[in-house]
Every structure is written in C-alpha cells, then in structure tokens.
Amino acid sequence: MRLLTHNMLASNVRGATTGYPLTLEATKWCTKEVELNADFIRGLLPKIDWRALVDATRALGLPELLPEEQPPEEEIFAEGAADVEGSAIRRIHHALLEVHVQEGSLVCPDTSRCFPINKGIPNMMLHEDEV
Amino acid sequence: MKLKQLEGLLGGLTQFPNPKVELEQYPTGPHIASRMLYTAENSFDDITGKVVADFGCGCGTLAVGSALLEAEHVLGIDIDPQSLELAQENAADLELDIDLVWSDIKNLNLKVSQSIPQHLLLNRKQFSAGVHVDTVVMNPPFGTRRNGADMEFLSMGLKVASQAVYSLHKTSTREHIKKMALRGCNARSAEVLCELRYGLPQTYKFHKKKEVDIAVDLWRFVPKAQQ
Ligand SMILES: C[S@@+](CC[C@H](N)C(=O)[O-])C[C@H]1O[C@@H](n2cnc3c(N)ncnc32)[C@H](O)[C@@H]1O
C-alpha cells in the first residue's frame, strides 16, 4: 500500500463519523523508484489531504520528508524543480508513490478499530455487526 | 503499447485456480480486457497518467492491464484475499506496482467529495478534499448469484470516479442498466460502446457445455460533476 492509497482510504465501521484519516502504523516498509510525472502531481495535489500525508510520513519515521504546511504551488511547480534533488515536488512524489507499506495497520480515528496490513494489502473487511 | 502486445501479456496472467461460484469469479478474457482498456485510453484518454481503480479485481486482469498502459496509480479491490495475492504476483511478474485493498465493494469507503460538508470544501487549504480516483474499470458480478451485486458496483463506481466508469454487463439487462445508471446512480451519461461475446469458461460444474457464450455490453458511464 502506497501513501496515495492511504490518503484516499477511510474506515466505514459502524460508529465512525468520517473514518478519516486512518492512523498509520508501519512495522515494515520499503521504497521503489518510479519516474516523476509533474503533470500528474499538479492535477493530484489539490485533492490530497496534506495533513494526512504528513502524518503518514511521520508514522514511517520520516519527520524531515514533508513540511507541516504545504509549500506554495509556485514553489512546487517551479521551472526545473523536478530535476533538483530534494525539491518539494520530488519529496511529494516520493511520499505519495515510492513508499510501500508492507506490514502494519490502519486505525480508525473515531472508533479505534484496527485494520491490519499484511503483505502490503490492507484488510478493510467488516464483520456483520460492524456494518 | 500495441493492442496485440497488451492482449498477449494479459493472456499470460494466472487466473482463479479454484473459482468461487458465489462470488462469480471468472476472469475477463485477454481479448475483451485488452479492447476495453484500449478503448478507454485511445478514445477517451482515461487510463495513461490517471488514477485507476479496478472494482472486483480478482487476479488483476484489468488492474495489470491499466498499469501496462501506464496508469500512474492503480488500486485493485476485491473481497477474496486469495485472488488479491494472485493479483499481486501477476503484477510482480511483469514488474508492475499496483495497490490492493481487501474489501467488500459495498462497504468500501474511499474519500469522495459528497461526503464532505460544503463549508469545508470552500477552504481548500485546511481540508483539501477531493476525488482521487479518475477512472473505475470493472467486470462486476452480473448479479446472477446475488441479486443486485452489479448495481452495488455501479453505484459505488459512479461515486468514486471523477471521469468515467467502464464496465461489462449482460446485454439482456441493457435497458435496466441504463435506467438505473441515469436515475438511480446519478450518471450524467450511460453509453454502450460495443457488444462483445463473453466466453464463460467451464468454471461452473453445472454448465453442461465446455464454454457458454453470452452477449455482454461494454459500457462507459460518466458521473455527474462532483461538487
Ligand atoms: C467476474 S469476476 C472479475 C474478475 C477480474 N476483475 C477480471 O477481470 O478478471 C468478479 C470479481 O468480483 C469479486 N467480487 C464479488 N463480489 C464482491 C464484492 N461484494 N466486493 C468486492 N469484490 C467482489 C470476485 O471475487 C471476483 O474476483
């Protein structure tokens, strides 16, 4: 599970109000490089919940990866930024698309119901009495 | 990627070794799957560079096909964990990365803008909410085993997608699907792109013939603009 998926996933357990964002706990994760597509990030960014993304990177023990506040778009999409090591757009790309959580869990913020992640696949199944 | 090449690669995927009849587990054949995705990309620009979700992904035919056509992010969802593991292996064999979630489609909770109060949406910086998924592709259960399963998929697809939903449904249900999509599920448009012959393999013991050909429609649904 990548952090982009985490950013769009919510819990639907009975008793949850928004069920979002799920608190990430990761015991095992890895990174895999993918090519950066600036147009894709540009279209996606307005839909991203920045707070949830930052919290997810902190949960992975990467407090330096993203700043508290989303940098201004002029900075993120500045000419040539994608080619600069450590630029905002590279970090955002890395956080959203290159980090894979393999083992851990997602915890519903409203009910504390825990959804395990095994072999990279979050188990969002609900029991009958939770629907 | 050429159509033939896509079809060839999809033909090499491992499919349900022990299909579960109650979940209507039969794979989308490589011929249909490749044409479905190719049409979505070449006629409508709905795959390459997009966020694509595959509802009821099974062993991942449509998810893997979307990744082969260079979708930027692919999310496959299924209720059956064994299929998800096979989908993961299928993707890994082709050195592709797809995300998978084990969930019942009807209980799926992907962040959709309708669920977020309007006043929060206006202030985007604080709660920058939106629909992440551009396109949903699916070959849902036809609802022959559990009535209404196809409609659960369709209505969730139209909630989650911001651009389009591609889906296969039995031709015999065409009028019903159209009515449900437009009235019940809030689609802006519902169009049959083509009619296909779907060979249901002998996965089902109660089928007498080796293969039963049924007519299915390839649909494209467009959701009403979100907010
Ligand atoms: C017709 S098969 C299609 C499989 C795969 N998408 C393909 O194209 O080869 C339908 C799939 O939907 C899954 N399914 C059935 N009911 C479901 C539900 N309620 N929620 C999620 N997946 C479901 C089945 O496990 C099966 O994999």
Side-chain angles (χ1 to χ4, degrees):
Chain A
M1 185 200 70
R2 286 182 267 195
L3 298 192
L4 174 50
T5 295
H6 168 263
N7 207 264
M8 57 174 118
L9 204 57
S11 127
N12 216 358
V13 68
R14 183 203 291 203
T17 44
T18 61
Y20 186 88
L22 296 161
T23 309
L24 175 65
E25 289 163 6
T27 53
K28 193 174 156 209
W29 57 275
C30 68
T31 58
K32 279 186 218 163
E33 225 172 281
V34 279
E35 205 178 317
L36 189 150
N37 176 346
D39 286 336
F40 175 74
I41 304 279
R42 192 192 294 274
L44 185 65
L45 200 58
K47 307 168 186 171
I48 291 296
D49 188 296
W50 186 260
R51 187 71 254 152
L53 182 61
V54 171
D55 287 348
T57 57
R58 308 253 148 116
L60 299 176
L62 300 171
E64 307 286 311
L65 184 58
L66 298 176
E68 279 296 311
E69 296 286 329
Q70 184 187 313
E73 298 209 355
E74 309 85 80
E75 182 194 325
I76 300 175
F77 301 108
E79 187 80 32
D83 303 321
V84 179
E85 185 96 28
S87 64
I89 188 165
R90 283 237 202 161
R91 288 158 180 265
I92 293 168
H93 164 78
H94 180 69
L96 285 170
L97 295 172
E98 295 189 324
V99 175
H100 296 253
V101 179
Q102 291 158 318
E103 302 291 331
S105 53
L106 298 168
V107 181
C108 172
D110 304 320
T111 63
S112 300
R113 162 73 145 87
C114 175
F115 299 93
I117 304 170
N118 295 314
K119 296 190 198 159
I121 305 178
N123 170 0
M124 302 304 291
M125 292 295 288
L126 299 175
H127 304 295
E128 247 165 61
D129 60 353
E130 293 179 312
V131 178
Chain B
M1 175 169 299
K2 295 243 163 62
L3 178 62
K4 277 282 159 229
Q5 199 182 353
L6 178 65
E7 182 174 347
L9 289 170
L10 295 182
L13 301 180
T14 307
Q15 297 294 351
F16 307 108
N18 307 299
K20 300 187 174 93
V21 176
E22 71 283 4
L23 294 176
E24 299 195 41
Q25 290 186 332
Y26 32 80
T28 315
H31 180 86
I32 292 188
S34 58
R35 271 144 194 89
M36 182 171 176
L37 297 170
Y38 222 68
T39 308
E41 174 51 26
N42 287 7
S43 307
F44 302 99
D45 278 335
D46 279 333
I47 306 288
T48 305
K50 305 290 182 199
V51 177
V52 177
D54 178 358
F55 280 10
C57 64
C59 303
T61 315
L62 298 174
V64 165
S66 301
L68 286 169
L69 292 181
E70 295 177 43
E72 194 69 32
H73 185 72
V74 179
L75 179 60
I77 299 141
D78 205 283
I79 198 169
D80 177 40
Q82 279 94 41
S83 302
L84 289 170
E85 284 195 26
L86 281 175
Q88 201 165 42
E89 285 172 22
N90 276 330
D93 286 347
L94 293 170
E95 293 178 12
L96 300 167
D97 277 311
I98 58 175
D99 272 19
L100 299 162
V101 170
W102 179 11
S103 174
D104 187 331
I105 286 297
K106 85 172 174 301
N107 297 331
L108 182 69
N109 198 1
L110 288 185
K111 203 153 62 81
V112 294
S113 57
Q114 288 102 316
S115 66
I116 290 145
Q118 191 65 35
H119 69 276
L120 287 177
L121 273 174
L122 294 176
N123 193 341
R124 280 231 306 241
K125 279 279 169 302
Q126 273 166 30
F127 200 119
S128 45
V131 189
H132 294 68
V133 176
D134 297 305
T135 307
V136 169
V137 293
M138 61 187 187
N139 177 6
F142 292 134
T144 46
R145 304 297 302 187
R146 195 169 59 76
N147 231 325
D150 50 345
M151 283 305 146
E152 282 168 11
F153 273 62
L154 181 54
S155 97
M156 188 59 84
L158 279 161
K159 264 193 225 162
V160 161
S162 67
Q163 308 239 13
V165 176
Y166 293 85
S167 185
L168 299 170
H169 298 275
K170 281 199 280 190
T171 301
S172 58
T173 59
R174 188 180 290 182
E175 287 315 309
H176 175 67
I177 297 282
K178 181 148 203 156
K179 198 170 77 199
M180 292 303 286
L182 295 176
R183 294 205 205 133
C185 306
N186 215 21
R188 177 211 297 271
S189 70
E191 188 191 347
V192 174
L193 300 179
C194 63
E195 197 181 310
L196 300 154
R197 314 261 358 138
Y198 194 108
L200 279 182
Q202 43 163 190
T203 39
Y204 297 150
K205 296 204 178 62
F206 54 79
H207 286 158
K208 291 199 188 73
K209 281 184 276 174
K210 274 231 166 92
E211 207 175 78
V212 198
D213 243 8
I214 55 162
V216 297
D217 293 334
L218 169 58
W219 286 86
R220 180 174 193 265
F221 304 96
V222 177
K224 286 230 171 89
Q226 317 263 4
Q227 302 294 339

